[in-house]
Amino acid sequence: MASILDEYEDSLHRSASVQQSRAAVGIPHSGYVNARLEKETPIFNKQRIDFAPPEKINSLVVSSNQLCMSLGKDTLLRIDLGKPDEPNQVELGRKDEARVYKMFLDHTGSHLLIALNTSECLYLNRSVQKVRALSRWKGHLIESVGWNKFLGTETNTGPILVGTSQGQIYEAEISVSEGSLFSTNPDQYFRQVYTLEEESGPAPVCCLEIERVIEGKFFIIATTRKRLFQFVGKVPEGTEQQGFSSIFAMHADHLPSFREFPANLGFSEIAFYTPKLRSNPRSFAWMMGNGVLYGTLDYSRPDSILSDERVWVYPSDIDITVNKPISIVLTQFHFLLLLPDRVKAVCTLNGQVVFQDLFLEKFGLLTRMIKDPTVQQIWIHTEKVVFRYHVQRESRDVWKMYMNMNKFDLAKEYCKDRPECLDIVLAKEAEHCFQNKRYLDSAKCYALTQNYFEEIALKFIEAKQEEALMEFLIKKLSNLKPSEKTQTTLLTTWLTELYLNWLGILEGDPSQRNLYLDTREKFRTFLSSPKNKDCLFNNRASIYDLLASHGDTEHMVYFAVIMQDYERVVAHHCQHDEYDEALNVLSRHRDEKLFYKFSPVLIQHIPKKVVDAWISMGSRLDARNLIPALVNYSQSASTEQINEAIRYMEFCVYQLEETQQAIHNYLLSLYALCRPDSLLSYLEQAGTSPNRIHYDLKYALRLCAEHGHHRACVHIYKVMELYEEAVDLALQVDVDLAKSCADLPEDDEELRKKLWLKIARHVVQEEKDVKKAMACLSSCALLKIEDVLPFFPDFVTIDHFKEAICNSLEDYNKHIEELKREMEEATQSAKRIREDIQEMRNKYGSVEPQEKCAACDFPLLNRPFYLFLCGHMFHYDCLLQAVFPNLPAYKQAKLEDLQKKLAATSQPSKSHHRPKDADTISLGKGQQSREQIKADIDDIVAAECVYCGELMIRSIDKPFIDPQKYEEEMQSWL
């Protein structure tokens, strides 16, 4: 395997040279084709609004899809951009020369402030048509308004801040009633809270912004022409409606934090980017004399929220004395500058101008640029034309800028949906990490790219960064598809080789113990990974060879366990005499085949534990397959060790209730060998019914005979019903045992008598004990004194038998008397029977003339009839018709035969008289008399009443209508 890997590394070098050649002719390394099928739309897409104003546009504001513009001297046009076909025109109603100076629209699009050049201010609510003058504001030229985005509603602005041209900051609140007309002046109050100054004195307040963060903390940003001020303070919860006086009061004695730049445009403007509604701005851009100060807003800072500040200096084509910038708008990644004749878009990531749009002279000079924060649309107007910019996929090329700035995490974030770009970023990050010797990070990134595998692998090999190479291979392996089986196999085996090499190096260095343990854990995680399971299983032979070549038996066992190759694990433990560990593996995984294979080895060393394991397996093990292990073990073991085999066999017989003959035969052999006392109890417990005995009777008999267990042999003879052999063998052991055997054939008196005679002969001839012989006579009723006498020798005197002979004679006398009594009882019984017969012959019954046949209901005396004891009377032919169908076939045939014979005996005669003994005349030799034939017919037909006898009982389940004639009968009823 090591040679294969060496060959593979050589192929990597050859492949790398080919790839270098491909790169030289312009073939890309990435697996993606970078082609654009259609022209990509620009980020800032300009659209001219189809609107021709009747008068010149003085000012335009947009917020929440509500657009307001000032036309000419006295006209105000309001348009809901959701309903652009329904504009609303409002007249200011001014008769003097006052003109609109600036307009301010709140975040809801409901409150419109109109600052006039005569230091007056008007107010218009979206829900009304009448413009109201704010009397308290008179005398102040309004430059900026800071709207309250937290307390403002459609009818109330909440506390707001107002900046004037003289540097004063006022706090005010405007409210309208529920009706269509104002019930009171809309301006609730108007009070000064602070004055902004530059080095030359008070300066116009160009911009105001109010932001609230957690825990009632407020940040207020205010700008003049050269300075940017920050006011920070807390407003107690529940007192927000009281305004911001407390925040400005904190800075009454000292200047707040501010940024200052020397150049001066005569004004400044600040723009903010808010990612979503009702959230705090995330970044800012301040247009001032020296350029654009831009950065992010960090609300966690205590005094100044401005962070990551940078200054974009105006390029040479922007001269602040000739074509100075007019307005600024900030988007997520760009700020747009409005110049008199063009728009420039600058990327905030690298400060590069990425977009420039030149306007034609026919449209006039550009006047103002604003952004609707709710829909992220940018509006630009001249005195005659209105334009709108749509921002489309602004982040499309951001990944490239972040990548060039080595901000790879951000770059990946902005190209996660574009795999071809993500691949470029990952490759650049990997190369950056490699150059900075961050090899592990480089490997992780390379593994996610489409760069050539061989080229990357060679880079790490040449740099001798084996750990980084392993990380690269691991990541690459995790990214492979299930169908890429060849690549998976290659990477898996290569990683195994690398891990083993690395572990071998670390194991020999005591100072690297912790690293060794960590690497070992990673290797085991790699081997046990579910994703690698199929590949490792299919190539387990190669993995085993690698592990064996490195002599790593620990991981060989670990790998075998993962592959569920428990046979190899158990074999390993047995080879190293680790029998307890081997048994633990068997018990834990409960594989029957492994138990059968390794039990012969294990039982030789740990018999008790092995038997315990067998018992714990219960019925899952087939004890027949374990008998060979027990036989080999019992032949060389001591009696104490054989007891373990007996213990398992007893468990199988008594607990598992095994019926296999081999198991019972082996238990019998163990009992015969070591436990003769248990042998007989086992045989007796097994019973005497051959059908319920599970051992081999002939084998058991031979086994017991070989070991001289005569009582057990007697029991087996009894089970086999070989009673003569049982008695013969029992007489060698115990006469009482023989007696119990002699009584077993209960149904064969002759055999019982024969067996008892054997016992008597043995007692007389072998034991020569006359008293015992007489005791045998009393034990068996079948034996008589005359049966036993021939067994005694001639010299025995009659005194020994006197009592037995007398008892025998008395029995004979009793038997004779009993026979006499039975004869007398039989004679009396015969006499009573003859008297009953005579009485029956004289019995009669009477029939009235009006009696009718029970079957046909016609007069009975018109034809021959039968009278039964039950009282029913039938004509002969009616009774015959009722009885004949229910007779058995053989009786029907006999009855027909008798009727034919009766018809044959009839003598044709016209006379109504016949001789008295005509019916009794013999019809010839061998023929029955007419009277006899009629008697036979009567025995068949009139054996019992057809209504009261068994015939009626048998016909109880017979249908009233014959099933074969059911249809015919049913049709007859219709």
Side-chain angles (χ1 to χ4, degrees):
M1 179 56 67
S3 62
I4 295 174
L5 294 175
D6 293 338
E7 291 177 7
Y8 180 69
E9 290 185 5
D10 293 339
S11 71
L12 292 183
H13 287 279
R14 293 194 297 272
S15 178
S17 62
V18 172
Q19 291 150 19
Q20 291 168 1
S21 301
R22 288 164 60 103
V25 297
I27 299 177
H29 285 246
S30 174
Y32 298 100
V33 178
N34 189 12
R36 295 186 178 180
L37 301 180
E38 59 183 19
K39 186 177 180 180
E40 195 169 26
T41 59
I43 295 175
F44 302 101
N45 188 19
K46 183 174 69 176
Q47 175 191 7
R48 179 180 175 183
I49 304 301
D50 186 13
F51 172 70
E55 299 180 76
K56 68 176 184 178
I57 303 172
N58 299 321
S59 181
L60 183 146
V61 289
V62 181
S63 182
S64 295
N65 242 6
Q66 301 295 317
L67 183 145
C68 300
M69 66 174 70
S70 171
L71 301 177
K73 174 184 175 184
D74 199 46
T75 303
L76 192 67
L77 187 65
R78 297 188 296 183
I79 301 174
D80 184 349
L81 297 177
K83 304 173 185 177
D85 298 332
E86 301 176 8
N88 175 251
Q89 185 171 318
V90 179
E91 300 297 331
L92 298 182
R94 303 287 296 194
K95 303 300 182 182
D96 53 11
E97 295 299 320
R99 293 184 178 275
V100 175
Y101 175 65
K102 284 185 178 181
M103 293 197 304
F104 308 94
L105 187 63
D106 80 319
H107 62 287
T108 66
S110 301
H111 306 282
L112 177 65
L113 290 174
I114 307 162
L116 303 179
N117 57 0
T118 57
S119 298
E120 296 179 79
C121 192
L122 306 179
Y123 171 75
L124 179 64
N125 189 274
R126 185 169 62 178
S127 60
V128 299
Q129 287 288 106
K130 186 178 180 180
V131 177
R132 296 299 302 269
L134 301 178
S135 59
R136 293 187 175 90
W137 297 37
K138 191 174 183 179
H140 301 284
L141 184 61
I142 307 302
E143 291 284 350
S144 59
V145 176
W147 295 104
N148 194 325
K149 294 178 285 188
F150 319 103
L151 297 178
T153 65
E154 292 183 0
T155 59
N156 188 291
T157 62
I160 61 174
L161 296 177
V162 180
T164 71
S165 60
Q166 300 300 316
Q168 296 98 351
I169 297 177
Y170 287 87
E171 183 178 79
E173 182 176 359
I174 302 173
S175 178
V176 296
S177 63
E178 298 295 332
S180 60
L181 298 175
F182 292 116
S183 58
T184 58
N185 291 332
D187 48 338
Q188 303 297 310
Y189 60 88
F190 190 77
R191 56 175 174 261
Q192 184 178 351
V193 292
Y194 201 79
T195 300
L196 296 183
E197 294 183 356
E198 294 179 351
E199 69 278 1
S200 59
V205 181
C206 299
C207 296
L208 283 169
E209 181 72 16
I210 305 170
E211 295 297 333
R212 184 182 67 177
V213 293
I214 58 174
E215 299 178 355
K217 192 174 184 180
F218 281 83
F219 289 91
I220 299 173
I221 295 177
T223 65
T224 62
R225 293 166 297 188
K226 298 166 56 177
R227 290 183 177 182
L228 186 152
F229 295 87
Q230 298 180 72
F231 299 88
V232 182
K234 280 189 177 183
V235 176
E237 186 177 356
T239 64
E240 293 90 345
Q241 199 68 38
Q242 298 178 9
F244 309 104
S245 303
S246 59
I247 297 176
F248 289 101
M250 296 170 59
H251 301 278
D253 299 330
H254 58 86
L255 285 175
S257 172
F258 66 90
R259 299 283 190 276
E260 184 175 13
F261 292 88
N264 185 359
L265 288 174
F267 66 94
S268 71
E269 185 173 338
I270 190 168
F272 297 91
Y273 169 71
T274 304
K276 56 185 177 180
L277 288 176
R278 302 189 183 281
S279 64
N280 296 114
R282 194 171 68 185
S283 56
F284 75 98
W286 180 38
M287 181 184 71
M288 40 76 183
N290 291 86
V292 177
L293 175 69
Y294 64 97
T296 58
L297 299 175
D298 184 358
Y299 297 98
S300 62
R301 301 176 67 178
D303 297 323
S304 174
I305 61 174
L306 307 183
S307 178
D308 298 330
E309 300 170 56
R310 284 164 289 173
V311 176
W312 182 78
V313 180
Y314 297 128
S316 58
D317 62 340
I318 298 178
D319 186 354
I320 63 173
T321 62
V322 180
N323 61 338
K324 59 185 177 182
I326 302 167
S327 294
I328 187 169
V329 163
L330 181 63
T331 63
Q332 185 177 6
F333 297 106
H334 302 84
F335 61 82
L336 280 73
L337 283 177
L338 181 69
L339 301 171
D341 61 345
R342 70 192 66 193
V343 173
K344 284 180 178 287
V346 179
C347 179
T348 56
L349 299 178
N350 56 13
Q352 299 296 317
V353 176
V354 296
F355 172 78
Q356 183 168 263
D357 192 5
L358 186 65
F359 288 77
L360 300 177
E361 291 183 4
K362 67 178 182 179
F363 299 135
L365 295 176
L366 301 179
T367 305
R368 178 108 173 123
M369 177 174 61
I370 55 175
K371 184 180 76 169
D372 186 347
T374 57
V375 294
Q376 302 297 324
Q377 291 179 348
I378 301 170
W379 296 78
I380 297 175
H381 73 91
T382 67
E383 291 183 347
K384 299 184 290 184
V385 186
V386 178
F387 296 94
R388 177 172 59 190
Y389 280 97
H390 292 276
V391 182
Q392 297 179 333
R393 296 178 55 233
E394 184 182 4
S395 62
R396 67 182 71 171
D397 295 325
V398 169
W399 64 271
K400 192 181 302 181
M401 300 174 191
Y402 278 130
M403 180 184 70
N404 294 331
M405 296 164 62
N406 293 334
K407 295 183 177 181
F408 300 108
D409 291 337
L410 290 172
K412 288 183 282 188
E413 180 69 24
Y414 285 101
C415 63
K416 58 185 177 183
D417 297 328
R418 301 169 66 185
E420 71 281 2
C421 300
L422 180 62
D423 188 70
I424 297 173
V425 173
L426 288 169
K428 182 71 178 293
E429 182 182 8
E431 185 63 28
H432 176 77
C433 293
F434 193 91
Q435 296 297 332
N436 288 277
K437 297 185 179 182
R438 293 162 47 202
Y439 297 110
L440 287 178
D441 294 334
S442 176
K444 293 176 184 178
C445 293
Y446 269 131
L448 299 175
T449 68
Q450 298 294 319
N451 287 25
Y452 291 119
F453 171 83
E454 298 88 343
E455 177 185 350
I456 299 168
L458 278 174
K459 288 187 71 167
F460 290 116
I461 292 173
E462 291 170 357
K464 297 182 180 180
Q465 294 297 320
E466 193 166 286
E467 187 177 1
L469 176 61
M470 290 166 58
E471 185 67 29
F472 169 68
L473 296 179
I474 291 172
K475 294 294 183 183
K476 204 69 178 176
L477 178 62
S478 65
N479 294 330
L480 289 177
K481 300 177 182 177
S483 59
E484 298 174 317
K485 297 185 181 297
T486 303
Q487 295 90 327
T488 302
T489 302
L490 175 63
L491 293 182
T492 301
T493 51
W494 194 3
L495 274 169
T496 303
E497 173 71 16
L498 291 174
Y499 267 121
L500 291 173
N501 286 337
W502 188 237
L503 286 171
I505 294 172
L506 295 177
E507 190 175 13
D509 189 352
S511 63
Q512 301 289 333
R513 179 63 179 171
N514 292 333
L515 181 57
Y516 167 77
L517 294 176
D518 183 57
T519 306
R520 185 182 69 175
E521 188 61 31
K522 289 181 180 179
F523 181 43
R524 293 186 174 184
T525 303
F526 166 74
L527 292 177
S528 59
S529 171
K531 187 172 182 179
N532 303 333
K533 183 177 181 181
D534 290 341
C535 178
L536 290 171
F537 182 80
N538 295 331
N539 299 278
R540 58 188 183 279
S542 300
I543 303 299
Y544 282 132
D545 291 342
L546 281 174
L547 293 166
S549 66
H550 285 266
D552 195 341
T553 57
E554 178 185 2
H555 284 106
M556 182 181 291
V557 173
Y558 182 82
F559 180 69
V561 171
I562 293 173
M563 294 293 103
Q564 298 183 355
D565 189 1
Y566 302 117
E567 181 177 350
R568 186 183 293 267
V569 177
V570 176
H572 169 80
H573 289 309
C574 290
Q575 290 171 2
H576 292 80
D577 297 336
E578 298 170 351
Y579 302 109
D580 287 332
E581 289 296 327
L583 184 59
N584 288 338
V585 174
L586 290 176
S587 302
R588 187 162 54 250
H589 300 289
R590 305 174 75 82
D591 189 332
E592 299 88 349
K593 294 181 181 179
L594 295 182
F595 267 102
Y596 300 147
K597 181 172 183 178
F598 291 100
S599 288
V601 176
L602 296 176
I603 200 169
Q604 299 289 338
H605 300 88
I606 47 174
K608 185 178 185 306
K609 293 181 179 180
V610 172
V611 171
D612 290 339
W614 289 351
I615 291 174
S616 67
M617 288 288 288
S619 59
R620 293 182 61 178
L621 289 179
D622 187 349
R624 291 177 301 173
N625 296 330
L626 297 173
I627 289 178
L630 292 171
V631 170
N632 293 334
Y633 169 67
S634 61
Q635 288 176 351
S636 59
S638 63
T639 302
E640 183 178 356
Q641 293 172 323
I642 292 177
N643 287 337
E644 294 299 329
I646 293 176
R647 182 163 69 96
Y648 181 65
M649 289 292 103
E650 287 179 340
F651 169 76
C652 294
V653 171
Y654 298 122
Q655 300 297 325
L656 301 182
E657 299 181 353
E658 287 282 357
T659 59
Q660 297 294 332
Q661 192 177 76
I663 296 173
H664 287 263
N665 287 347
Y666 183 58
L667 180 59
L668 267 175
S669 67
L670 294 176
Y671 279 150
L673 182 65
C674 296
R675 292 190 188 177
D677 295 338
S678 300
L679 174 63
L680 186 58
S681 63
Y682 165 77
L683 294 174
E684 291 175 348
Q685 188 172 353
T688 57
S689 174
N691 296 329
R692 296 184 179 180
I693 288 176
H694 305 301
Y695 56 85
D696 187 344
L697 289 168
K698 295 180 181 179
Y699 172 76
L701 182 61
R702 184 174 69 252
L703 192 66
C704 294
E706 287 178 359
H707 291 85
H709 302 311
H710 296 309
R711 287 184 178 272
C713 290
V714 169
H715 179 83
I716 295 171
Y717 278 134
K718 289 192 295 182
V719 174
M720 298 172 71
E721 297 184 354
L722 299 175
Y723 301 115
E724 291 190 46
E725 289 82 352
V727 170
D728 290 341
L729 185 58
L731 289 174
Q732 300 177 20
V733 180
D734 186 6
V735 174
D736 291 334
L737 180 61
K739 289 179 180 180
S740 64
C741 296
D743 282 331
L744 291 177
E746 297 178 352
D747 299 331
D748 192 346
E749 291 187 355
E750 183 179 353
L751 179 57
R752 284 174 60 201
K753 185 175 181 180
K754 183 179 180 181
L755 297 176
W756 276 101
L757 287 174
K758 283 179 176 285
I759 296 172
R761 180 187 293 113
H762 174 80
V763 171
V764 173
Q765 294 179 354
E766 299 296 330
E767 297 187 6
K768 297 180 174 55
D769 191 338
V770 178
K771 292 183 178 181
K772 271 192 177 182
M774 293 301 100
C776 288
L777 289 177
S778 61
S779 299
C780 181
L782 300 177
L783 290 183
K784 306 297 180 183
I785 185 63
E786 57 269 27
D787 298 326
V788 180
L789 285 175
F791 301 146
F792 287 96
D794 296 337
F795 58 83
V796 178
T797 60
I798 197 171
D799 293 339
H800 295 92
F801 313 116
K802 181 177 180 180
E803 184 177 354
I805 292 173
C806 291
N807 292 335
S808 179
L809 292 175
E810 288 179 1
D811 290 340
Y812 283 133
N813 288 333
K814 290 179 180 178
H815 186 59
I816 292 170
E817 291 296 329
E818 186 176 350
L819 290 176
K820 286 181 179 180
R821 186 169 61 256
E822 290 177 356
M823 291 173 63
E824 290 177 357
E825 291 177 356
T827 302
Q828 293 295 326
S829 177
K831 181 179 178 182
R832 286 195 297 272
I833 291 172
R834 284 194 294 274
E835 291 175 353
D836 291 342
I837 291 172
Q838 187 62 35
E839 184 179 355
M840 291 296 295
R841 285 177 179 174
N842 297 329
K843 199 169 185 179
Y844 64 92
S846 60
V847 178
E848 299 294 331
Q850 66 273 15
E851 293 290 349
K852 295 181 180 181
C853 174
C856 65
D857 206 29
F858 281 92
L860 185 67
L861 299 179
N862 290 347
R863 299 196 301 273
F865 65 88
Y866 288 99
L867 171 64
F868 291 95
L869 294 178
C870 61
H872 289 112
M873 294 169 280
F874 301 91
H875 290 129
Y876 167 75
D877 54 340
C878 293
L879 184 61
L880 179 63
Q881 185 179 3
V883 171
F884 186 81
N886 298 290
L887 291 175
Y890 75 93
K891 283 193 176 184
Q892 290 180 354
K894 183 178 180 181
L895 182 58
E896 290 175 351
D897 183 55
L898 290 172
Q899 287 177 330
K900 290 178 181 178
K901 288 180 180 180
L902 182 62
T905 58
S906 299
Q907 296 180 0
S909 176
K910 296 181 181 180
S911 173
H912 296 286
H913 302 284
R914 59 182 177 178
K916 182 178 180 181
D917 297 331
D919 290 340
T920 61
I921 296 174
S922 175
L923 300 177
K925 186 176 180 181
Q927 293 183 345
Q928 291 178 308
S929 64
R930 180 181 176 82
E931 190 67 30
Q932 183 62 42
I933 293 172
K934 291 176 69 177
D936 291 343
I937 291 174
D938 289 345
D939 289 342
I940 295 174
V941 175
E944 60 181 0
C945 174
V946 72
Y947 285 173
C948 301
E950 293 183 2
L951 180 61
M952 181 58 67
I953 297 173
R954 287 197 302 271
S955 66
I956 193 169
D957 59 346
K958 182 178 179 182
F960 290 110
I961 301 173
D962 188 350
Q964 297 179 353
K965 299 180 180 180
Y966 180 80
E967 291 294 333
E968 180 182 350
E969 185 69 22
M970 186 178 67
Q971 293 297 328
S972 67
W973 281 73
L974 297 176

